Amino acid sequence: MRLDKLLVELKYGSRKDIKQIVKGKQVTVNDVIVRDSSVHVDPLKDVISVNGEVIHYQPFFYFMLNKPSGYLSATKDGLHKIVLELLSVEDQKRDVFPCGRLDLDTEGLMILSNDGQFAHQLLHPKKEIYKTYYVEVDGQLTEQDVAIFLMGMEILDGQNEPYMTKTAYLEILSSGAQSTANVSICEGKFHQIKRMFQACDKRVTYLKRVSMGSLKLDADLALGAYREISEEERALLFENDEDLVRKVGEDH
Ligand code: URA
């Protein structure tokens, strides 16, 4: 990329400012003083310094967002607000996109990144990484529902074709005319959780994703807030939570 574009991105000033800095012989690339601010550099390979200070270039960003209801998991939409609007102006320029979808009215953990390869791996169905949702439903949840979620059930997928769900874990938290539960699934068909409860004659009234793999939604993140995640946290996304199977699976 062009040196001036890179230094503007890194907040060294405007393109005009960068021209002046370069003119003042304050910029080196691999220890050679640069004379032309439009020169092309590879920020991942070249050692670039400004005023003797080596610059740090971060190409990829990974954010955890606590998605509120009313925001679409998309990069543009003419009708609804989109999750990218919740990012600062600076972070909106980083070309991040939602890694996976949550319904308009679903809240909770959403990962945003500009790393396409990472997103591809994260969403790959073969990985069978479980995502856990806290759910409130109209109707009484029973042990029979737990068994149905475990065994799999037929729902309609995004194309309204019949689809057999994979092993899902339903942990009932409270049961009555309205019930609450944690439910974990390792796939993401259109409206999957809502359709699974519908298949069991329950209606989802509230849905919030609380974890992906072993990464939990940060309890300190208010609705609509987001933060960068560390490399360690990123790795947790690719590991299933060992407690999950123990909590529900062993009893059945
Ligand atoms: N399942 C749903 O029904 N909705 C979501 O947003 C996520 C999973």
Side-chain angles (χ1 to χ4, degrees), residues 101-106 133 185 189-195 207 209:
R101 286 176 166 271
L102 288 178
D103 293 342
L104 186 66
D105 59 353
T106 301
Y133 298 77
I185 57 172
K189 298 289 172 201
F190 188 60
H191 296 327
Q192 179 155 346
I193 302 255
K194 290 172 185 160
R195 290 184 173 184
L207 189 58
R209 184 154 66 193

Side-chain angles (χ1 to χ4, degrees), residues 2-14:
R2 275 175 65 131
L3 177 67
D4 49 5
K5 184 170 183 289
L6 172 70
L7 295 183
V8 169
E9 238 175 63
L10 294 173
K11 308 276 174 301
Y12 281 92
S14 65

Side-chain angles (χ1 to χ4, degrees), residues 62 118 228-238:
Y62 308 89
F118 161 82
E228 261 190 88
I229 55 171
S230 65
E231 205 174 327
E232 291 74 27
E233 287 178 311
R234 239 188 294 150
L236 292 177
L237 287 164
F238 296 93

